Amino acid sequence: MKTLILLLIFCSLFQIAFSQEQNNPVQISGDFGFYSDFYHMESDTPGAVAPRRPASLERLVVNASLNIKDFSLPVSMAIANNQFSVVVPNPPVIPHNPFQNFKSIVTNPLNRIGIAPKYKWVQLLLGSQIPQYSELSVGDLSVFGIGVNLTPGKFRFSFFEGTSQIAIEEDTLKNIKGSYKRKIYSTKIGYGSEDSSHIYFIESMMKDDTASLIYKPVSLMPQAGILSDIDFRINLGKKSFIKGEVAGSMFTRDMRNNNIDKYGNSIPKEIYTPKESTRQDDASVLSIGADGKSFGIKATGRYIGDGFVPLGYPFMQSDRLEVTIDPHLNLFENKLQLSGSIGRRVNNLSQERGTTSTQTLGMINLNAQLTEQLSLSANYTNFGFRNAMVSDTFKVEMLTVSWSVSPAYNIITKTTMHNIMLMYSQNTFNDYNTVSGALNNNDASNAVFSYIFSMLNNPLSVSTLLSYFDNSTSFGRLTTKSLNLTAGYKFFKKKLSPTAGLTIADNRINSGSSGYQVMTILGAKYTWKKKLNFGLNGSVNVFKYGNTKPGISYREDLLRTSITYKL
């Protein structure tokens, strides 16, 4: 049923797109496609190697927009037919209830269905959306719900409410931890354009639904939070600006705790009730910068309090203070581009999680067009960490240094084009902890050689890729060498494009026996009327372990089909 629904949606989109070719006044742009994967794996020792993919998987991907004068309808969809979640078992199939099956597709957390109809300055947000409000409030969290954006002139009003986390019942036998259904509400009111002078007032609230689970394990804490934010920007001229943000949050780690009156009546209890595990804290960001044609610079200061929780950024690191300076330089008509960043970060300001520590941040990038044929790219990163402990036993100091250099050379004649690229990178991590430092040291290097040959008057292209990777740690040394060959050609006025590829890899740990990998790929793509594409791609991957799993090997067969249409 789910596969049938995907096919029906695909056929409907194709019919609408084909009708557009017949001078339909409705204009559609974008693309959509239907993809299928078929996978099979065999191991010479049953149970020694687990399959890495499902046996079959169909996906519908749509990124399109319908336009009629002042009305537009952007649609974004990514739908899989038989995968519900990595932590949630598939819902039961109900043969005589297609609506329930369709509902399971729509509410599937691995799927994305977003629709945003807009008429002039009024826009609705439906389905899976990522509301972009500000750096400290909401902007990195996928929410399934409904919202609105109103932009009359320079006034701004936005609102969105939905589910950011579905309810999952705990299952210890399947190692499923479980979670409460989580609702989030966000609103933004202000004046001015996002990339110009503006001031926005932002409010956000999050709350777990304690009634969403039948069984409520003691270790699973229902949480709630509320956040207030002011985001502003002042353009001092055409090239310079000041922008910043000040936010405060109140977050409850466990809603099952008793109520408290610690924070007075600053927030009505009908909206938010503080508990014994509630913490209130602040955060702020301030940037001053100037952008020019040849030179630009930006200085940024950032403070995140220990108890501050940005409701729309679940992985933001708190309890830190940092200052960074980011200059960039363009010379010789952009033939030489330099950019970098240098700064200092102080962690564990409150010393709640340990002693205060400092980090040094440094990075520089170089892109140079030395001649018409020769270009060079390089980067260097230095990342240091140190705590404030004096005792050698508890002192922590680490240093990470990464650098890479990559020259490229192009040769173009009347009939051929040659592209040669070299890349070498080095990543070193040193832990100076006197107790366990030697165990954590890591040194990795990677070298790559790439050569691409193509004929200008003949649709033939051939590429070669050689790679060498070496990683040394206290536990051993891993060395990987690989060779990749790929060739492609085009027939029938470039409508049919077959490709073939071969990859051979050798993996070795210390001085033990090598593990070998041989993968062959055959594929073809056919284009009809420059917009409709049919793709077929098959691969066979044979891998034999070395001394890590002596005598064990497996084979993977993967077939991929696709039908895509460019609107």
Side-chain angles (χ1 to χ4, degrees):
M1 176 60 69
K2 294 178 183 178
T3 302
L4 179 60
I5 292 174
L6 295 184
L7 287 172
L8 288 175
I9 295 175
F10 178 84
C11 293
S12 299
L13 290 169
F14 182 77
Q15 178 62 35
I16 293 173
F18 187 77
S19 299
Q20 180 182 238
E21 296 293 331
Q22 311 303 318
N23 297 320
N24 193 311
V26 178
Q27 295 299 312
I28 303 177
S29 59
D31 56 78
F32 59 89
F34 186 75
Y35 304 83
S36 297
D37 290 357
F38 304 95
Y39 173 82
H40 176 71
M41 197 271 298
E42 289 184 355
S43 174
D44 57 355
T45 304
V49 182
R52 297 187 297 170
R53 300 172 179 268
S56 64
L57 178 66
E58 288 79 37
R59 301 181 305 280
L60 175 67
V61 179
V62 179
N63 289 288
S65 179
L66 181 148
N67 299 277
I68 308 174
K69 294 184 178 180
D70 294 330
F71 176 79
S72 63
L73 180 63
V75 178
S76 177
M77 292 193 298
I79 305 174
N81 75 319
N82 61 354
Q83 274 195 319
F84 192 72
S85 173
V86 293
V87 295
V88 184
N90 289 359
V93 177
I94 306 175
H96 303 294
N97 191 345
F99 174 77
Q100 185 67 27
N101 293 328
F102 180 74
K103 181 181 178 182
S104 68
I105 293 177
V106 174
T107 58
N108 184 341
L110 287 186
N111 290 336
R112 185 185 77 250
I113 303 177
I115 304 174
K118 183 178 181 181
Y119 180 72
K120 293 185 177 179
W121 50 268
V122 179
Q123 184 179 36
L124 296 178
L125 303 174
L126 307 171
S128 300
Q129 305 286 344
I130 302 179
Q132 297 286 336
Y133 282 10
S134 69
E135 180 180 346
L136 296 178
S137 60
V138 178
D140 193 31
L141 190 65
S142 179
V143 183
F144 186 87
I146 183 172
V148 62
N149 284 334
L150 304 178
T151 57
K154 290 190 176 182
F155 289 96
R156 297 290 184 269
F157 172 77
S158 299
F159 173 78
F160 197 88
E161 71 92 11
T163 301
S164 63
Q165 178 177 284
I166 64 172
I168 303 174
E169 294 288 347
E170 185 181 59
D171 190 337
T172 56
L173 296 178
K174 297 181 179 179
N175 198 27
I176 297 176
K177 183 179 179 181
S179 64
Y180 288 99
K181 179 180 180 180
R182 177 168 294 179
K183 298 284 289 186
I184 188 169
Y185 307 84
S186 300
T187 185
K188 178 174 73 173
I189 301 174
Y191 182 84
S193 303
E194 281 73 7
D195 56 350
S196 185
S197 297
H198 67 255
I199 182 168
Y200 300 141
F201 299 92
I202 301 169
E203 296 287 337
S204 183
M205 184 175 69
M206 176 274 290
K207 188 175 183 180
D208 287 347
D209 182 3
T210 55
S212 61
L213 295 181
I214 299 174
Y215 172 68
K216 302 175 179 61
V218 177
S219 60
L220 187 60
M221 297 183 294
Q223 300 177 335
I226 191 168
L227 179 144
S228 296
D229 184 289
I230 300 177
D231 176 71
F232 67 90
R233 177 183 174 117
I234 303 173
N235 281 358
L236 303 177
K238 293 182 179 180
K239 298 180 180 180
S240 56
F241 63 88
I242 297 175
K243 65 177 182 178
E245 190 172 353
V246 179
S249 74
M250 189 178 292
F251 187 79
T252 301
R253 294 181 62 249
D254 193 344
M255 293 169 55
R256 299 170 299 186
N257 296 152
N258 297 326
N259 297 349
I260 60 172
D261 295 325
K262 177 181 177 181
Y263 302 102
N265 298 321
S266 58
I267 302 175
K269 293 184 178 181
E270 294 79 11
I271 297 177
Y272 191 85
T273 303
K275 305 285 186 176
E276 292 176 344
S277 60
T278 299
R279 290 192 63 185
Q280 184 179 15
D281 216 327
D282 307 312
S284 59
V285 178
L286 180 65
S287 296
I288 302 175
D291 293 321
K293 184 177 180 180
S294 301
F295 176 76
I297 189 170
K298 182 176 71 171
T300 302
R302 182 177 286 104
Y303 166 76
I304 312 295
D306 179 42
F308 178 79
V309 179
L311 305 184
Y313 291 91
F315 304 108
M316 180 181 290
Q317 179 185 347
S318 62
D319 201 16
R320 61 187 170 100
L321 172 68
E322 66 182 48
V323 177
T324 58
I325 299 176
D326 308 305
H328 65 269
L329 184 67
N330 297 327
L331 298 175
F332 310 116
E333 297 180 348
N334 292 330
K335 290 183 179 180
L336 177 62
Q337 299 177 351
L338 282 169
S339 63
S341 178
I342 185 169
R344 191 78 165 173
R345 176 184 296 171
V346 182
N347 299 298
N348 302 321
L349 293 170
S350 64
Q351 297 190 359
E352 292 288 338
R353 300 177 180 86
T355 184
T356 300
S357 59
T358 59
Q359 293 174 267
T360 301
L361 313 173
M363 178 270 293
I364 185 170
N365 290 320
L366 165 70
N367 289 290
Q369 190 68 42
L370 302 178
T371 67
E372 187 174 343
Q373 295 81 23
L374 179 63
S375 62
L376 177 68
S377 297
N379 71 76
Y380 174 83
T381 301
N382 187 300
F383 182 87
F385 179 92
R386 177 184 295 174
N387 69 356
M389 296 298 294
V390 178
S391 170
D392 288 341
T393 305
F394 296 100
K395 184 177 180 179
V396 177
E397 183 177 358
M398 294 174 288
L399 178 65
T400 300
V401 177
S402 302
W403 63 271
S404 69
V405 59
S406 178
Y409 193 79
N410 293 312
I411 304 174
I412 301 177
T413 68
K414 293 182 178 180
T415 58
T416 62
M417 181 170 65
H418 308 262
N419 177 269
I420 302 172
M421 189 273 290
L422 296 172
M423 189 278 290
Y424 181 81
S425 66
Q426 184 79 37
N427 300 276
T428 303
F429 175 80
N430 290 318
D431 186 352
Y432 298 103
N433 189 326
T434 57
V435 178
S436 60
L439 298 177
N440 296 326
N441 291 342
N442 193 315
D443 190 357
S445 59
N446 188 25
V448 177
F449 169 80
S450 171
Y451 171 67
I452 301 175
F453 166 79
S454 58
M455 302 186 68
L456 301 179
N457 300 322
N458 198 314
L460 172 66
S461 63
V462 179
S463 66
T464 302
L465 182 70
L466 295 172
S467 175
Y468 176 83
F469 175 76
D470 185 275
N471 186 202
S472 297
T473 69
S474 60
F475 300 101
R477 179 180 180 183
L478 170 65
T479 305
T480 299
K481 295 173 285 186
S482 65
L483 165 67
N484 175 265
L485 299 173
T486 304
Y489 197 83
K490 295 183 179 181
F491 297 92
F492 307 122
K493 298 180 180 180
K494 299 183 179 181
K495 292 182 178 180
L496 178 63
S497 305
T499 58
L502 173 66
T503 298
I504 302 174
D506 175 281
N507 305 280
R508 185 188 297 271
I509 297 179
N510 296 326
S511 59
S513 58
S514 297
Y516 294 97
Q517 178 188 21
V518 178
M519 184 170 66
T520 56
I521 299 175
L522 291 175
K525 178 181 177 182
Y526 181 77
T527 302
W528 182 61
K529 291 191 174 182
K530 297 182 180 181
K531 290 190 174 183
L532 183 63
N533 297 297
F534 301 89
L536 182 67
N537 188 289
S539 65
V540 177
N541 179 34
V542 179
F543 188 91
K544 182 178 181 180
Y545 286 93
N547 60 316
T548 56
K549 293 183 179 180
I552 296 178
S553 64
Y554 66 87
R555 168 178 165 170
E556 293 179 304
D557 301 325
L558 178 63
L559 177 65
R560 288 178 166 173
T561 64
S562 65
I563 304 175
T564 61
Y565 190 86
K566 185 176 181 181
L567 302 170

